[in-house]
């Protein structure tokens, strides 16, 4: 049973942890990765480490820092996607509102066109004008209203 626990524990070690253990590096992989640059330089300048151990420490730190950077990148990406999904929902809602508003305005516009046409016909019928000619009411940009012959 004791040997099974040892083998289970050895299988759970990462590649870097196994390599550090096999090369008798006196620091944990986590410490090598998370320590400050000053502390890491102290590790590298340690006279008890040979060149192979120093090289392994550098590789462990590089891979560890890269893993952390990759995790941070994935987190940022997920946050950006969430933000964009929220923004998309908001824009879609705004679009629906504007389309409904546009439809209402178009209906109002058509109603007013009918009202104006009826009013124009009513006014022209009441005026004593030459019945042989076709007349229309024209409003200029300055707000002046004229009754003119249709062309």
């Amino acid at each position: 049973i004791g040997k099974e626990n040892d083998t289970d524990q050895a299988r759970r070690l990462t590649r870097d942890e196994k390599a550090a253990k096999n090369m008798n590096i006196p620091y944990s992989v986590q410490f090598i990765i998370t320590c400050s640059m000053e502390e890491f330089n102290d590790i590298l300048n340690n006279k008890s480490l040979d060149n192979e151990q120093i090289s392994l420490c550098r590789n462990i730190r590089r891979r560890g820092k890269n893993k952390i950077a990759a995790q941070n990148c994935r987190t940022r990406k997920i946050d950006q996607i969430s933000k964009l999904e929220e923004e998309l929902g908001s824009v879609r809602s705004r679009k629906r509102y504007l389309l409904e508003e546009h439809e209402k305005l178009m209906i109002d516009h058509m109603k007013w066109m009918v009202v104006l046409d009826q009013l124009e016909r009513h006014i022209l019928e009441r005026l004593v004008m030459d019945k042989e000619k076709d007349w229309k009411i024209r409003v200029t940009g300055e707000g002046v209203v004229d009754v003119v012959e249709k062309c």
Side-chain angles (χ1 to χ4, degrees), residues 97-117:
Y97 169 79
L98 289 174
L99 287 173
E100 289 170 7
E101 189 68 21
H102 179 264
E103 189 174 332
K104 288 176 187 174
L105 289 172
M106 290 302 291
I107 290 169
D108 284 350
H109 175 60
M110 292 305 293
K111 286 178 183 176
W112 281 110
M113 292 296 292
V114 169
V115 167
L116 285 174
D117 186 55

Side-chain angles (χ1 to χ4, degrees), residues 14 31-32 103 107:
T14 65
F31 177 75
I32 292 171
E103 189 174 332
I107 290 169

Side-chain angles (χ1 to χ4, degrees), residues 37-75:
M37 199 61 205
E38 184 179 335
E39 290 171 315
F40 185 66
N41 284 331
D42 289 344
I43 292 172
L44 298 181
N45 293 330
N46 188 340
K47 301 292 184 205
S48 66
L49 297 179
D50 61 26
N51 285 340
E52 205 173 328
Q53 288 172 317
I54 289 172
S55 177
L56 179 61
C57 286
R58 283 189 176 122
N59 288 336
I60 289 171
R61 185 171 174 91
R62 179 180 44 80
R63 281 191 293 268
K65 292 287 187 184
N66 188 55
K67 183 178 179 180
I68 292 168
Q71 288 169 339
N72 290 340
C73 181
R74 285 188 288 273
T75 301

